[in-house]
């Protein structure tokens, strides 16, 4: 499950102190170190992880034990909370397991959203009141507490996206996961006859493992020895690719990047907000779809690109880029509006100054003996010249014409 940390972190040592103070022993992810470009690692903070409390859960009529681990991707500003479930008693069909899993995690997730003030009227109307209070405390409070504890080292985005995104990954031996079972796990359905034959990418081999992914669900299977040795590497890559996808997601779902309440007038302050949004969005998107910059192991890069393709990261980045283009267009419109406003101010000041000058001519003309007719004849051309600057004729020309209705 991926959460927004609220911004990126560059002070790794301070982050490690914060995590260790709250959760005890921590580790720095070294799993993929031998396969990464050192030039990339030199400029990016490592993944920091720690254990969260585990336990047992009743899902689909079976008893499951689970371990929980929290990972922080500092350069992306993303927190990943990973649950590893193991069935210890009973059996479970896939659809019921998935439904129960969503219901189980929502018992913590919905109260978390309530505390983050993210339950809008549109969402709140769809959720029964009893589900908001929740009766399960798993990881939501840990994510919120980490945001608060690390606030002084976070380089904040203009907003914090409260919602999470989660994906499923099934890991097992070849004997326990035959081909038909893999299809069921990918489609999260036990109804084999109703499962489509297409829509799933071909499997990919990696060091004795077979990897198959629909984007939403991924299955990793192999001989027992290969699963134990290499599955963690694939899961780490899946986590990384999912974190990149999630960065695009949080920008796509930022409801108002202009940073002003509805009905507020445009102004220079809005230009600064737009600039901050554009800068943050460009920085975040520069870390997406760059696996060939990160990895130097061609075999591992092939696995990462397979997962990236099935999670549709590139398409998600293009959608996020459309938000950047919208911001750029709005910035240009705001700049044009501000320029027009300044020109009108200059126009008004000139009109006032010119009117005062024309008015001061009247006593002078009468002092030198001008008759009233001569004074009027002198002032009228000056007033006409003044009107060219004092009246905004472009606004008059742009005014829409109203058609007369025929009787």
């Amino acid at each position: 499950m991926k959460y927004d940390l609220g911004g990126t972190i560059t002070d790794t040592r301070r982050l490690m102190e914060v995590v260790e103070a709250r959760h005890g022993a921590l580790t720095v992810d070294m799993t993929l170190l031998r396969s990464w470009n050192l030039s990339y690692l030199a400029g990016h903070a490592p993944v920091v992880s720690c254990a969260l409390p585990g336990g047992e859960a009743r899902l689909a009529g079976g008893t499951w034990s689970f371990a929980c681990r929290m990972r922080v991707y500092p350069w992306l500003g993303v927190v990943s909370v990973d649950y590893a479930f193991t069935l210890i008693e009973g059996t479970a069909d896939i659809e019921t397991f998935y439904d129960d899993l969503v219901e189980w995690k929502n018992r913590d997730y919905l109260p978390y959203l309530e505390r983050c003030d993210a339950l809008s009227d549109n969402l709140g109307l769809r959720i029964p009141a009893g589900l908001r209070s929740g009766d399960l405390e798993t990881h939501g409070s840990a994510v919120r507490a980490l945001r608060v504890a690390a606030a002084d080292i976070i380089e904040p985005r203009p907003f914090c996206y409260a919602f999470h995104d989660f994906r499923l990954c099934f890991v097992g031996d070849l004997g326990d996961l035959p081909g038909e079972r893999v299809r069921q796990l990918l489609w999260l359905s036990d109804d084999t006859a109703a499962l489509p034959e297409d829509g799933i990418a071909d499997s990919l081999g990696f060091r004795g493992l077979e990897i198959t992914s629909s984007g939403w669900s991924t299955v990793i299977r192999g001989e027992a020895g290969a699963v134990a040795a290499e599955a963690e590497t694939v899961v780490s890559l899946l986590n990384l690719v999912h974190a990149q996808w999630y960065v695009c997601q949080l920008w796509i779902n930022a409801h108002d990047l202009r940073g002003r309440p509805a009905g507020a007038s445009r102004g220079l302050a809005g230009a600064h907000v737009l600039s901050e949004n554009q800068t943050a969005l460009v920085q975040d998107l520069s870390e997406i779809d760059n696996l060939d910059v990160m990895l130097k192991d061609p075999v591992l890069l092939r696995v990462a690109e397979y997962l990236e393709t099935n999670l549709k990261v590139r398409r998600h980045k293009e959608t996020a880029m459309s938000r950047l283009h919208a911001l750029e267009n709005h910035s240009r419109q705001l700049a044009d509006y501000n320029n027009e406003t300044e020109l009108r101010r200059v126009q008004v000041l000139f009109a006032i100054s010119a009117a005062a000058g024309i008015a001061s001519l009247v006593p002078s003309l009468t002092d030198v003996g001008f008759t009233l007719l001569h004074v009027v004849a002198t002032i009228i051309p000056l007033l006409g010249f003044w009107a060219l600057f004092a009246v905004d004729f472009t606004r008059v020309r742009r005014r829409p014409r109203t058609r007369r209705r025929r009787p």
Side-chain angles (χ1 to χ4, degrees), residues 14-26 48 50:
R14 180 74 182 105
L15 171 62
M16 294 172 66
E17 292 173 1
V18 169
V19 173
E20 190 170 20
R22 297 198 61 82
H23 302 290
L26 57 83
V48 176
C50 65

Side-chain angles (χ1 to χ4, degrees), residues 106-396:
N106 280 349
R107 287 160 57 192
D108 176 76
Y109 183 43
L110 293 177
Y112 158 84
L113 291 177
E114 181 106 60
R115 297 185 191 103
C116 292
D117 197 25
L119 287 181
S120 65
D121 290 339
N122 292 333
L123 179 58
L125 290 173
R126 296 175 170 89
I127 299 174
L131 294 180
R132 297 189 183 187
S133 57
D135 58 353
L136 181 68
E137 182 71 27
T138 54
H139 63 269
S141 58
V143 172
R144 294 180 68 245
L146 179 60
R147 288 194 191 118
V148 174
D152 59 333
I153 58 173
I154 293 176
E155 298 178 14
R157 296 186 181 96
F159 60 93
C160 184
Y161 182 58
F163 297 89
H164 75 208
D165 185 82
F166 77 99
R167 301 299 165 97
L168 299 175
C169 181
F170 299 93
V171 182
D173 297 342
L174 279 170
D176 297 330
L177 297 175
E180 196 66 20
R181 189 62 168 169
V182 171
R183 288 183 62 230
Q184 293 173 339
L185 293 174
L186 292 174
W187 290 110
L188 300 175
S189 174
D190 293 286
D191 188 358
T192 306
L195 297 181
E197 295 293 338
D198 56 357
I200 299 296
D202 294 335
S203 299
L204 182 71
F206 172 71
R207 297 174 184 167
L209 299 179
E210 180 185 276
I211 308 165
T212 313
S213 180
S214 64
W216 182 255
S217 176
T218 300
V219 179
I220 303 171
R221 61 178 184 157
E223 299 297 337
V227 170
E230 303 294 348
E232 180 61 29
T233 298
V234 180
V235 172
S236 295
L237 275 179
L238 177 61
N239 252 323
L240 174 62
V241 172
H242 184 207
Q244 291 192 344
W245 183 96
Y246 181 77
V247 170
C248 300
Q249 176 79 354
L250 65 89
W251 277 103
I252 292 170
N253 286 296
H255 299 297
D256 187 5
L257 297 182
R258 294 169 296 179
R260 58 188 179 88
S265 60
R266 298 192 229 185
L268 291 175
H272 297 302
V273 173
L274 286 170
S275 177
E276 291 175 1
N277 276 282
Q278 287 177 262
T279 302
L281 178 51
V282 169
Q283 289 176 345
D284 279 350
L285 293 185
S286 68
E287 298 291 348
I288 311 302
D289 190 26
N290 62 345
L291 294 173
D292 54 342
V293 176
M294 302 164 64
L295 299 171
K296 62 183 178 183
D297 182 342
V299 176
L300 209 58
L301 180 59
R302 183 165 169 258
V303 175
E305 289 177 340
Y306 171 84
L307 296 171
E308 183 184 64
T309 299
N310 284 284
L311 265 72
K312 298 179 175 59
V313 174
R314 188 164 298 177
R315 189 173 73 179
H316 221 46
K317 180 180 179 180
E318 292 173 355
T319 306
M321 286 292 293
S322 67
R323 301 303 300 265
L324 177 60
H325 299 327
L327 282 172
E328 291 171 344
N329 291 334
H330 189 72
S331 294
R332 283 192 291 268
Q333 294 173 4
L334 184 59
D336 292 342
Y337 176 86
N338 289 335
N339 290 336
E340 185 179 355
T341 301
E342 292 301 318
L343 287 175
R344 287 176 186 169
R345 290 175 181 171
V346 173
Q347 186 179 23
V348 170
L349 291 174
F350 179 83
I352 294 173
S353 177
I358 293 173
S360 66
L361 282 177
V362 175
S364 302
L365 293 176
T366 56
D367 289 342
V368 296
F370 272 51
T371 64
L372 179 60
L373 181 61
H374 287 113
V375 171
V376 172
T378 304
I379 295 299
I380 286 178
L382 293 176
L383 288 175
F385 183 72
W386 171 84
L388 293 175
F389 292 90
V391 180
D392 187 357
F393 290 100
T394 59
R395 295 175 65 85
V396 176

Side-chain angles (χ1 to χ4, degrees), residues 10 12 33 36-46 75 293-294:
T10 56
T12 310
L33 183 60
W36 287 50
N37 281 312
L38 297 184
S39 58
Y40 181 87
L41 295 180
H44 293 76
W75 74 97
V293 176
M294 302 164 64

